[in-house]
Amino acid sequence: QVRLVESGGGLVQAGGSLRLSCAASGSIFSIDSMAWYRQAPGKQRELVAAITSGGSTNYADSVKGRFTISRDNAKNTVYLQMNSLKPEDTAVYYCNVNWWDDSFSYYNLWGQGTQVTVSS
């Protein structure tokens, strides 16, 4: 069993910052890519940022220069530092992780989501 636990969401004023965390635990041999997605009311889930096992990153154009994704491989944790937040960043944020177990089966799992609300 593998579990993802997200934390760090909340209410913040426009221009403020939040840091999201997503920790993976359980029968993990090795984690591949990790990513953050978000879904605003009435909209489709979209990729916010992703990071490979080697540390390469990519970002949605809407968050470039404001958000930073990072990972701590020793802790099986991915972070999303969000600065200069805008009301349009309001959404439920989900982490997504790909990993191998010790039989080299490949899996994907979503976190439970954490609400981020940015007030104007």
Side-chain angles (χ1 to χ4, degrees):
Q1 282 282 49
V2 172
R3 185 180 177 210
L4 300 180
V5 177
E6 300 178 17
S7 61
L11 173 64
V12 65
Q13 288 188 333
S17 298
L18 285 174
R19 189 192 194 209
L20 306 183
S21 299
C22 175
S25 62
S27 303
I28 298 170
F29 176 75
S30 179
I31 293 182
D32 189 12
S33 60
M34 309 177 86
W36 288 95
Y37 288 74
R38 67 185 180 188
Q39 187 166 20
K43 293 188 177 181
Q44 290 190 332
R45 192 172 296 189
E46 63 175 356
L47 176 68
V48 176
I51 185 167
T52 68
S53 57
S56 297
T57 59
N58 68 284
Y59 296 91
D61 287 343
S62 59
V63 307
K64 283 180 181 176
R66 301 188 297 121
F67 291 11
T68 302
I69 189 170
S70 61
R71 60 192 284 171
D72 184 334
N73 292 327
K75 296 181 179 180
N76 287 343
T77 299
V78 61
Y79 305 96
L80 186 68
Q81 178 66 44
M82 305 184 293
N83 299 328
S84 303
L85 282 160
K86 304 175 181 180
E88 51 264 43
D89 294 318
T90 295
V92 178
Y93 284 70
Y94 299 89
C95 69
N96 183 267
V97 175
N98 294 299
W99 82 92
W100 289 275
D101 66 10
D102 56 8
S103 65
F104 298 103
S105 296
Y106 196 69
Y107 297 93
N108 177 270
L109 186 64
W110 291 92
Q112 81 280 6
T114 185
Q115 177 70 47
V116 171
T117 303
V118 184
S119 64
S120 56

